[in-house]
Amino acid sequence: MTSYKYLVLVLLVGLIGGGWFGLARSNERVDSAYEGHVAAARASAELGVTVDATAEYRAALVIRPSYALAWELAEYLRVDGDPEDYRRTLAELVSTYPEEPDPYLALAEVKAREDEFPEAYATLVEALDAG
């Protein structure tokens, strides 16, 4: 009877160990995919391939959302991207990270540049309310 207890104990330890090993390998793959997307996004951005850079940034943000990387995408779009995509990205940043002031200011600037002064003012008021 005691041999069955040890056999069950060994099987449980093996199952738990295998689960931990699988989890560690999965996390390693996710980290590797994230780093690959970020590296590809930055390389495409340096080459000026906006479609690829934007897609890679967004793929990395799906894996691991972070304000720093999202702001890097927004800054890239400000310089080399489509103005409408830049505006949409800023709006996403405002809704996702309401405590960060930079997206509010950039979005208000975009709205003011497009002669949408009441909307720009509303964005600044929203920033004051959030912060």
Side-chain angles (χ1 to χ4, degrees), residues 32-115:
S32 177
Y34 173 79
E35 293 299 327
H37 286 301
V38 171
R42 290 177 178 156
S44 295
E46 280 187 31
L47 295 173
V49 185
T50 304
V51 173
D52 291 346
T54 304
E56 293 292 342
Y57 273 120
R58 292 193 189 281
L61 287 168
V62 166
I63 294 172
R64 188 181 306 150
S66 75
Y67 172 74
L69 190 63
W71 183 249
E72 187 176 322
L73 169 61
E75 285 295 302
Y76 172 72
L77 290 173
R78 180 179 60 83
V79 175
D80 291 329
D82 175 46
E84 189 56 38
D85 196 18
Y86 175 58
R87 184 178 179 148
R88 200 172 29 255
T89 301
L90 288 174
E92 289 172 11
L93 277 170
V94 164
S95 66
T96 307
Y97 303 100
E99 69 281 354
E100 297 293 337
D102 294 331
Y104 288 103
L105 297 174
L107 187 57
E109 181 182 330
V110 167
K111 290 177 179 181
R113 207 176 316 124
E114 295 174 357
D115 293 332

